[in-house]
Amino acid sequence: MSRPPKLLWTRSRDFRALPFQVSDVPPAGWTALGTLLAEGKITLLGLWAEAPGVAMALYDPATRRVAVTRVRSRRGAVPSIGASHPPAQRLERAAADLTGLRFENAPDPRPWLDHGRWDIAHPLAGGAPHPGQPPYAFLPVKGESLHQVPVGPVHAGTIEPGHFRFTAQGETVVRLEERLGYVHKGIERLMQGADLARGAELAGRVSGDSTVAYAWAFAQAAEAALEIEVPARAFFLRGIMAELERLANHLGDFGAICNDAAFSMMLAQASVLREEVLRAASDCFGHRFMRDRIVPGGVTADLSAEGASRLRALLDRIRDRFPVLVDLYDNTASLLDRTVGTGWLSPTLAGQFGAGGFVGRASGRDYDTRRDLRYAPYDMVQVEVAGRKEGDVNARVWIRIKEVEHSLGLITQMLNTLPAGPILAEPVSLGETRSGLGLVEGFRGDILAWLSLDADGRIARCHMRDPSWFQWPLLEAVIEGNIIADFPLCNKSFNCSYSGHDL
Amino acid sequence: MRRFILEGLIGRALTETAPGPDAEALEQIAASLSARARKRLGRSLAIRQVDAGSCNGCELEINALSNPYYDLERFGLHFVASPRHADVLMVTGPVTRNMAEALQRTYNAMPAPKWVITVGDCALDGGCFAGSYAITGGVSDVVPVDIHVPGCPPEPVKLLSALCAMIAGN
Ligand code: SF4
């Protein structure tokens, strides 16, 4: 086996300010990187097709540096990383669907996003008429007294569509197989050739619940590529918006998780607080989800003095009400009976998949982009990172609770140190091709945005990787050995994005 | 727990005063709902929601309708799990090609009379996803639509007044 190739590892403060230098590697080196990933020495941040081959973003936890590397395809094929490192498998299947590239030795060559219903095949590679596709082959199951329960794509509640195939023995789930891709909208193709404004609009609609974080990741990538100097005030306003988004989501999900354990009162109470966050966001920034407020170069909505005091009042209100709810959670035995020990995710799997957000942090993965790959304004405030090791539903709930508290603190810090000044710098194209990387901690985990611009400043390629890519497969592992009736609870405690994943 | 019950008993209700029915939606619905059908439904409607490729933003606001501020059920409106129990199909998203059949089948599973309400800009004509190979181009390309609620996403109050329009006039 060949030695792993030398890559250009970049520190956070460098790749956030400058275009990204990609390291090209030969196929043998690419395979060696797969081995390094499998050994757990480095973490996979993303993998996507980009002419003339496939690119991969990697994180080295020891040095807190990031590398982007690329291998050229030969006769339409590249070596599979998924062959040695399973977290890459679905990313490779998606890349194959979108471009027609083949991944040599890929253990699972089935299509992923392409359900055989598009007019064209391989949309990112020109798009020839679709030749059609045989029915999807679910994994075979063998064994005594097994039965299958297919669920979806349309689910019972007001949630996103996806298909789950449970194989159960009695009540116990022995395997869950997910099939996703139902909400694939072709965003990456729509991005091609678009200008930055249109790109930001689309980025903000990849996953609605994380619209701030996505717009921010996209803006970061554009700003790094074009070396735009963003005004300091804009950074702080972005931080405030992102923490409001985290608050709203954590509060809402806290209630929803309890509701899935048949404790509906918590949903009512928590959804009141969530609603109040959204109303404050609307009053301060003009949109309940603060959509389209972050753009390359800064932000489009400023915070007035009244807005700031409106936010302080909101924080006081949550500081007053939320602990009561937490107490109630912690003192309701029937609720804890459902959440403690349910849906266990092992620290090994969380580490292997580089699971972001509360999913990873509840299973001992001590990582937060806001601290480990710092970006403004988090380099100017005190960032705390919650962590637990139990890896069950209860641990994930507690990470959310802690993060609510941390977000309250962060918003206060940002309001206290909010600098005056302009909020937007106009992006200017530099007349040459450029690439930039954005990495933002959304409420669900780290969102990656990779952006390549052509000489006119138009988008040549934009790839956005939702944290769910590395969480969905873990949900399959987590439900094993649990009863089917606990699936909604496990699922909600993950709350992966369908739209963010399917794009 | 006791604190919550006491507060619930003596505290002020959070619930918004009911918004008037949305004038535009009222017009749209008058055109599609015959007086007879309205009589049959009374003042209660069962809604089945289907996400046909949304970004999940519209779902968040639809879910907000059930929080104590909007409290949808006080109008006799409630969400049901099965299309067979539903009078109204509420659809979000530009209808991805991968979801078109599921949407069609959900619609077909509903008993008549039935209505379709679309929520969000991208459900109208694809919105910002228009022109993609992966979408059909809007809900009305797949099932007949009675009311559309614009917005990205529409605020819960807008949704509420559109729904009120559906049950108004009885
Ligand atoms: S209308 Fe807007 S918020 Fe609603 S699903 Fe479409 S893009 Fe998302």
Side-chain angles (χ1 to χ4, degrees):
Chain A
M1 201 197 68
S2 58
R3 292 231 320 272
K6 277 227 158 326
L7 303 180
L8 239 110
W9 291 94
T10 315
R11 285 179 307 185
S12 174
R13 66 161 168 251
D14 295 329
F15 75 72
R16 297 202 184 271
L18 295 169
F20 211 100
Q21 301 301 319
V22 178
S23 318
D24 286 304
V25 299
W30 186 259
T31 312
L33 287 172
T35 312
L36 219 55
L37 281 165
E39 288 166 354
K41 302 231 166 60
I42 49 175
T43 309
L44 182 65
L45 287 179
L47 182 153
W48 63 94
E50 179 166 8
V54 176
M56 190 159 57
L58 304 165
Y59 172 60
D60 180 358
T63 59
R64 295 186 177 176
R65 288 173 188 228
V66 174
V68 173
T69 168
R70 195 166 43 200
V71 66
R72 257 174 193 281
S73 64
R74 294 197 182 156
R75 285 185 293 277
V78 297
S80 163
I81 294 289
S84 48
H85 189 55
Q89 285 180 15
R90 286 182 180 175
L91 289 161
E92 288 183 344
R93 289 168 69 186
D97 286 350
L98 296 177
T99 61
L101 279 173
R102 274 177 303 110
F103 289 84
E104 286 157 354
N105 299 322
D108 187 351
R110 291 176 298 169
W112 183 239
L113 299 178
D114 183 353
H115 292 193
R117 292 168 184 272
W118 308 333
D119 294 338
I120 53 170
H122 316 315
L124 292 187
H130 204 293
Q133 210 177 67
Y136 191 72
F138 285 93
L139 297 174
V141 281
K142 257 194 267 170
E144 252 179 69
S145 54
L146 296 176
H147 65 280
Q148 287 206 322
V149 186
V151 178
V154 177
H155 299 301
T158 302
I159 48 171
E160 300 178 77
H163 183 84
F164 300 117
R165 187 152 296 204
F166 297 93
T167 305
Q169 193 163 37
E171 282 264 20
T172 311
V173 180
V174 293
R175 180 196 276 155
L176 162 65
E177 186 181 355
E178 295 158 357
R179 190 183 184 204
L180 302 173
Y182 289 93
V183 287
H184 175 75
K185 293 177 269 292
I187 291 180
E188 295 195 7
R189 161 90 175 246
L190 287 171
M191 285 269 193
Q192 288 182 333
D195 59 16
L196 282 182
R198 167 85 170 129
E201 179 195 23
L202 284 167
R205 284 156 182 80
V206 171
S207 183
D209 51 17
S210 306
T211 179
V212 170
Y214 264 97
W216 194 351
F218 179 84
Q220 269 187 2
E223 287 152 9
L226 299 175
E227 297 174 59
I228 302 168
E229 287 218 17
V230 179
R233 186 174 175 84
F235 280 133
F236 277 76
L237 292 176
R238 287 176 176 184
I240 292 171
M241 291 186 211
E243 295 309 320
L244 285 172
E245 180 172 272
R246 197 180 323 276
L247 268 182
N249 281 301
H250 281 350
L251 288 168
D253 287 350
F254 173 65
I257 293 168
C258 296
N259 189 49
D260 276 340
F263 200 73
S264 53
M265 191 190 88
M266 198 74 94
L267 176 64
Q269 297 286 343
S271 65
V272 166
L273 294 183
R274 174 187 156 83
E275 176 69 22
E276 288 172 8
V277 174
L278 299 182
R279 288 180 175 206
S282 173
D283 291 348
C284 295
F285 299 108
H287 191 285
R288 283 161 60 89
F289 298 153
M290 299 160 283
R291 177 166 267 167
D292 301 331
R293 296 314 186 254
I294 296 182
V295 293
V299 295
T300 57
D302 205 350
L303 184 67
S304 64
E306 301 89 75
S309 35
R310 173 90 171 78
L311 287 183
R312 284 184 200 276
L314 170 80
L315 301 181
D316 287 344
R317 160 103 171 129
I318 299 175
R319 281 195 183 101
D320 176 47
R321 292 295 299 179
F322 189 58
V324 188
L325 301 184
V326 176
D327 257 7
L328 182 63
Y329 173 78
D330 207 23
N331 290 311
T332 306
S334 63
L335 190 50
L336 295 178
D337 188 46
R338 295 288 308 276
T339 59
V340 175
T342 308
W344 179 66
L345 173 65
S346 78
T348 318
L349 270 182
Q352 184 190 6
F353 276 75
F358 44 84
V359 173
R361 291 196 277 275
S363 288
R365 182 167 184 255
D366 184 25
Y367 170 82
D368 189 316
T369 317
R370 292 172 296 173
R371 181 196 64 193
D372 299 317
L373 291 171
R374 271 182 189 209
Y375 49 103
Y378 296 104
D379 50 355
M380 291 174 263
V381 291
Q382 198 80 28
V383 180
E384 283 177 88
V385 178
R388 282 180 89 108
K389 295 209 163 54
E390 304 93 308
D392 55 0
V393 172
N394 180 53
R396 289 188 282 279
V397 169
W398 272 105
I399 298 284
R400 301 250 203 170
I401 292 172
K402 287 288 158 216
E403 292 190 10
V404 166
E405 292 163 8
H406 294 164
S407 288
L408 295 173
L410 282 169
I411 299 174
T412 307
Q413 289 184 56
M414 290 178 199
L415 286 174
N416 288 345
T417 48
L418 182 66
I423 55 167
L424 188 62
E426 276 304 318
V428 195
S429 161
L430 300 173
E432 56 180 34
T433 58
R434 295 244 172 161
S435 300
L437 180 73
L439 269 169
V440 163
E441 188 74 19
F443 86 97
R444 202 177 258 125
D446 49 304
I447 293 166
L448 175 141
W450 174 256
L451 184 63
S452 298
L453 298 172
D454 66 15
D456 302 327
R458 291 191 165 267
I459 299 172
R461 179 80 173 94
C462 176
H463 172 72
M464 310 205 77
R465 195 269 304 138
D466 196 87
S468 306
W469 278 97
F470 300 128
Q471 297 169 341
W472 273 121
L474 297 175
L475 184 63
E476 288 184 349
V478 150
I479 187 66
E480 223 179 280
N482 288 256
I483 56 173
I484 292 188
D486 272 342
F487 178 70
L489 189 56
C490 296
N491 188 23
K492 196 74 218 177
S493 79
F494 268 62
N495 192 20
C496 299
S497 174
Y498 298 71
S499 184
H501 168 282
D502 295 353
L503 274 179
Chain B
M1 193 73 175
R2 218 177 309 141
R3 172 171 167 181
F4 290 99
I5 297 172
L6 276 176
E7 275 178 8
L9 285 173
I10 46 184
R12 180 184 57 89
L14 292 170
T15 318
E16 303 266 309
T17 44
D22 184 64
E24 201 180 317
L26 202 56
E27 228 166 84
Q28 290 176 25
I29 199 67
S32 68
L33 252 158
S34 73
R36 232 182 81 234
R38 267 192 237 158
K39 211 171 222 142
R40 244 173 61 199
L41 289 164
R43 295 182 54 83
S44 156
L45 285 180
I47 309 167
R48 168 67 240 204
Q49 195 269 343
V50 169
D51 172 342
S54 89
C55 77
N56 78 29
C58 280
E59 275 64 35
L60 294 174
E61 295 296 48
I62 293 170
N63 274 319
L65 292 175
S66 302
N67 78 33
Y69 276 103
Y70 304 108
D71 190 17
L72 184 75
E73 297 223 4
R74 72 192 143 129
F75 301 108
L77 298 158
H78 60 283
F79 288 100
V80 293
S82 170
R84 304 212 185 270
H85 302 160
D87 309 305
V88 177
L89 184 65
M90 181 182 267
V91 190
T92 62
V95 192
T96 58
R97 294 197 179 267
N98 291 350
M99 267 308 284
E101 185 191 342
L103 174 64
Q104 179 77 60
R105 282 165 67 164
T106 308
Y107 178 80
N108 292 346
M110 290 169 60
K114 52 187 165 187
W115 295 271
V116 176
I117 172 164
T118 52
V119 172
D121 291 345
C122 67
L124 181 68
D125 54 5
C128 63
F129 310 114
S132 168
Y133 62 91
I135 69 165
T136 58
V139 178
S140 59
D141 287 356
V142 182
V143 293
V145 175
D146 299 288
I147 296 192
H148 174 70
V149 191
C152 185
E155 298 189 345
V157 176
K158 293 236 180 69
L159 285 169
L160 213 49
S161 41
L163 287 167
C164 286
M166 288 197 89
I167 47 172
N170 267 352

